[in-house]
Amino acid sequence: FAGAPYRVGFNGDINSLSAFLSYPRNIVFDNSRNEIIFCDFSNNRVRRISFATNQILTVIGNGQAFNPTDNVFGNRTQLNLP
């Protein structure tokens, strides 16, 4: 359903079958929104996949591995191995 076979890394918010992931974990199914939400662990991001569009989007994290800072939201904040 997600992740390009044998590819690790990050290549943007694109079709989920073409997306590169790095140790996805903590997967949650949101039935009310028809989405999967998960931690893209080594990419320092929280991402979601829409069942309706099959697109993968970054919800939180800019890919930099630092502790989150105050007053920075969404994909501009920094996460450290979520």
PDB file of all heavy atoms in Angstrom, residues 38-51:
ATOM      1  N   PHE A  38       1.269   7.593  10.460  1.00  0.00           N
ATOM      2  CA  PHE A  38       2.397   6.813  10.970  1.00  0.00           C
ATOM      3  C   PHE A  38       3.640   7.686  11.127  1.00  0.00           C
ATOM      4  O   PHE A  38       3.727   8.775  10.562  1.00  0.00           O
ATOM      5  CB  PHE A  38       2.713   5.635  10.036  1.00  0.00           C
ATOM      6  CG  PHE A  38       3.191   6.042   8.673  1.00  0.00           C
ATOM      7  CD1 PHE A  38       4.546   6.082   8.394  1.00  0.00           C
ATOM      8  CD2 PHE A  38       2.288   6.391   7.686  1.00  0.00           C
ATOM      9  CE1 PHE A  38       5.000   6.468   7.147  1.00  0.00           C
ATOM     10  CE2 PHE A  38       2.732   6.766   6.433  1.00  0.00           C
ATOM     11  CZ  PHE A  38       4.090   6.811   6.166  1.00  0.00           C
ATOM     12  N   CYS A  39       4.579   7.179  11.900  1.00  0.00           N
ATOM     13  CA  CYS A  39       5.879   7.834  12.056  1.00  0.00           C
ATOM     14  C   CYS A  39       6.821   7.297  10.995  1.00  0.00           C
ATOM     15  O   CYS A  39       6.989   6.093  10.864  1.00  0.00           O
ATOM     16  CB  CYS A  39       6.464   7.550  13.435  1.00  0.00           C
ATOM     17  SG  CYS A  39       5.500   8.257  14.768  1.00  0.00           S
ATOM     18  N   ASP A  40       7.402   8.190  10.235  1.00  0.00           N
ATOM     19  CA  ASP A  40       8.464   7.846   9.288  1.00  0.00           C
ATOM     20  C   ASP A  40       9.761   8.090  10.059  1.00  0.00           C
ATOM     21  O   ASP A  40      10.389   9.137   9.974  1.00  0.00           O
ATOM     22  CB  ASP A  40       8.350   8.719   8.044  1.00  0.00           C
ATOM     23  CG  ASP A  40       9.137   8.191   6.871  1.00  0.00           C
ATOM     24  OD1 ASP A  40       9.867   7.198   7.033  1.00  0.00           O
ATOM     25  OD2 ASP A  40       9.022   8.792   5.783  1.00  0.00           O
ATOM     26  N   PHE A  41      10.110   7.113  10.856  1.00  0.00           N
ATOM     27  CA  PHE A  41      11.060   7.216  11.961  1.00  0.00           C
ATOM     28  C   PHE A  41      12.381   7.894  11.590  1.00  0.00           C
ATOM     29  O   PHE A  41      12.721   8.946  12.117  1.00  0.00           O
ATOM     30  CB  PHE A  41      11.311   5.820  12.524  1.00  0.00           C
ATOM     31  CG  PHE A  41      12.120   5.782  13.777  1.00  0.00           C
ATOM     32  CD1 PHE A  41      11.600   6.242  14.972  1.00  0.00           C
ATOM     33  CD2 PHE A  41      13.399   5.264  13.767  1.00  0.00           C
ATOM     34  CE1 PHE A  41      12.340   6.188  16.142  1.00  0.00           C
ATOM     35  CE2 PHE A  41      14.147   5.203  14.921  1.00  0.00           C
ATOM     36  CZ  PHE A  41      13.621   5.667  16.114  1.00  0.00           C
ATOM     37  N   SER A  42      13.135   7.323  10.702  1.00  0.00           N
ATOM     38  CA  SER A  42      14.459   7.882  10.390  1.00  0.00           C
ATOM     39  C   SER A  42      14.401   9.103   9.487  1.00  0.00           C
ATOM     40  O   SER A  42      15.406   9.781   9.293  1.00  0.00           O
ATOM     41  CB  SER A  42      15.358   6.812   9.764  1.00  0.00           C
ATOM     42  OG  SER A  42      15.676   5.844  10.744  1.00  0.00           O
ATOM     43  N   ASN A  43      13.236   9.404   8.948  1.00  0.00           N
ATOM     44  CA  ASN A  43      13.060  10.652   8.200  1.00  0.00           C
ATOM     45  C   ASN A  43      12.575  11.785   9.097  1.00  0.00           C
ATOM     46  O   ASN A  43      12.350  12.898   8.618  1.00  0.00           O
ATOM     47  CB  ASN A  43      12.082  10.454   7.033  1.00  0.00           C
ATOM     48  CG  ASN A  43      12.725   9.746   5.871  1.00  0.00           C
ATOM     49  OD1 ASN A  43      13.898   9.933   5.594  1.00  0.00           O
ATOM     50  ND2 ASN A  43      11.953   8.917   5.189  1.00  0.00           N
ATOM     51  N   ASN A  44      12.375  11.497  10.390  1.00  0.00           N
ATOM     52  CA  ASN A  44      11.980  12.503  11.380  1.00  0.00           C
ATOM     53  C   ASN A  44      10.709  13.240  10.969  1.00  0.00           C
ATOM     54  O   ASN A  44      10.625  14.457  11.012  1.00  0.00           O
ATOM     55  CB  ASN A  44      13.132  13.494  11.614  1.00  0.00           C
ATOM     56  CG  ASN A  44      14.364  12.794  12.094  1.00  0.00           C
ATOM     57  OD1 ASN A  44      14.340  12.109  13.097  1.00  0.00           O
ATOM     58  ND2 ASN A  44      15.451  12.925  11.353  1.00  0.00           N
ATOM     59  N   ARG A  45       9.699  12.456  10.604  1.00  0.00           N
ATOM     60  CA  ARG A  45       8.427  13.018  10.156  1.00  0.00           C
ATOM     61  C   ARG A  45       7.263  12.146  10.629  1.00  0.00           C
ATOM     62  O   ARG A  45       7.415  10.945  10.799  1.00  0.00           O
ATOM     63  CB  ARG A  45       8.368  13.081   8.633  1.00  0.00           C
ATOM     64  CG  ARG A  45       9.450  13.917   8.001  1.00  0.00           C
ATOM     65  CD  ARG A  45       9.457  13.722   6.487  1.00  0.00           C
ATOM     66  NE  ARG A  45      10.663  14.257   5.899  1.00  0.00           N
ATOM     67  CZ  ARG A  45      10.791  15.490   5.440  1.00  0.00           C
ATOM     68  NH1 ARG A  45       9.767  16.309   5.475  1.00  0.00           N
ATOM     69  NH2 ARG A  45      11.927  15.901   4.924  1.00  0.00           N
ATOM     70  N   VAL A  46       6.109  12.751  10.785  1.00  0.00           N
ATOM     71  CA  VAL A  46       4.846  12.039  10.935  1.00  0.00           C
ATOM     72  C   VAL A  46       4.111  12.265   9.625  1.00  0.00           C
ATOM     73  O   VAL A  46       3.989  13.404   9.162  1.00  0.00           O
ATOM     74  CB  VAL A  46       4.021  12.566  12.131  1.00  0.00           C
ATOM     75  CG1 VAL A  46       2.655  11.903  12.165  1.00  0.00           C
ATOM     76  CG2 VAL A  46       4.776  12.340  13.425  1.00  0.00           C
ATOM     77  N   ARG A  47       3.633  11.170   9.031  1.00  0.00           N
ATOM     78  CA  ARG A  47       3.029  11.265   7.705  1.00  0.00           C
ATOM     79  C   ARG A  47       1.665  10.594   7.686  1.00  0.00           C
ATOM     80  O   ARG A  47       1.332   9.833   8.592  1.00  0.00           O
ATOM     81  CB  ARG A  47       3.963  10.632   6.678  1.00  0.00           C
ATOM     82  CG  ARG A  47       5.336  11.302   6.727  1.00  0.00           C
ATOM     83  CD  ARG A  47       6.304  10.725   5.772  1.00  0.00           C
ATOM     84  NE  ARG A  47       6.089  11.349   4.470  1.00  0.00           N
ATOM     85  CZ  ARG A  47       6.698  10.938   3.365  1.00  0.00           C
ATOM     86  NH1 ARG A  47       7.520   9.907   3.399  1.00  0.00           N
ATOM     87  NH2 ARG A  47       6.481  11.556   2.231  1.00  0.00           N
ATOM     88  N   ARG A  48       0.899  10.869   6.659  1.00  0.00           N
ATOM     89  CA  ARG A  48      -0.412  10.243   6.511  1.00  0.00           C
ATOM     90  C   ARG A  48      -0.614   9.829   5.065  1.00  0.00           C
ATOM     91  O   ARG A  48      -0.052  10.421   4.138  1.00  0.00           O
ATOM     92  CB  ARG A  48      -1.519  11.172   6.961  1.00  0.00           C
ATOM     93  CG  ARG A  48      -1.697  12.354   6.073  1.00  0.00           C
ATOM     94  CD  ARG A  48      -2.802  13.245   6.557  1.00  0.00           C
ATOM     95  NE  ARG A  48      -2.909  14.377   5.642  1.00  0.00           N
ATOM     96  CZ  ARG A  48      -3.852  15.262   5.681  1.00  0.00           C
ATOM     97  NH1 ARG A  48      -4.785  15.173   6.594  1.00  0.00           N
ATOM     98  NH2 ARG A  48      -3.883  16.237   4.820  1.00  0.00           N
ATOM     99  N   ILE A  49      -1.424   8.805   4.898  1.00  0.00           N
ATOM    100  CA  ILE A  49      -1.800   8.326   3.568  1.00  0.00           C
ATOM    101  C   ILE A  49      -3.315   8.353   3.484  1.00  0.00           C
ATOM    102  O   ILE A  49      -4.004   7.774   4.322  1.00  0.00           O
ATOM    103  CB  ILE A  49      -1.295   6.897   3.318  1.00  0.00           C
ATOM    104  CG1 ILE A  49       0.226   6.839   3.424  1.00  0.00           C
ATOM    105  CG2 ILE A  49      -1.761   6.408   1.955  1.00  0.00           C
ATOM    106  CD1 ILE A  49       0.780   5.434   3.409  1.00  0.00           C
ATOM    107  N   SER A  50      -3.826   9.001   2.477  1.00  0.00           N
ATOM    108  CA  SER A  50      -5.263   9.059   2.236  1.00  0.00           C
ATOM    109  C   SER A  50      -5.684   7.861   1.393  1.00  0.00           C
ATOM    110  O   SER A  50      -5.101   7.612   0.342  1.00  0.00           O
ATOM    111  CB  SER A  50      -5.620  10.354   1.504  1.00  0.00           C
ATOM    112  OG  SER A  50      -6.941  10.296   1.021  1.00  0.00           O
ATOM    113  N   PHE A  51      -6.688   7.110   1.853  1.00  0.00           N
ATOM    114  CA  PHE A  51      -7.221   6.008   1.054  1.00  0.00           C
ATOM    115  C   PHE A  51      -7.885   6.533  -0.220  1.00  0.00           C
ATOM    116  O   PHE A  51      -7.863   5.885  -1.253  1.00  0.00           O
ATOM    117  CB  PHE A  51      -8.250   5.205   1.844  1.00  0.00           C
ATOM    118  CG  PHE A  51      -7.666   4.431   2.991  1.00  0.00           C
ATOM    119  CD1 PHE A  51      -8.305   4.428   4.217  1.00  0.00           C
ATOM    120  CD2 PHE A  51      -6.496   3.705   2.861  1.00  0.00           C
ATOM    121  CE1 PHE A  51      -7.795   3.704   5.279  1.00  0.00           C
ATOM    122  CE2 PHE A  51      -5.969   2.987   3.913  1.00  0.00           C
ATOM    123  CZ  PHE A  51      -6.627   2.988   5.132  1.00  0.00           C
TER     124      PHE A  51
END
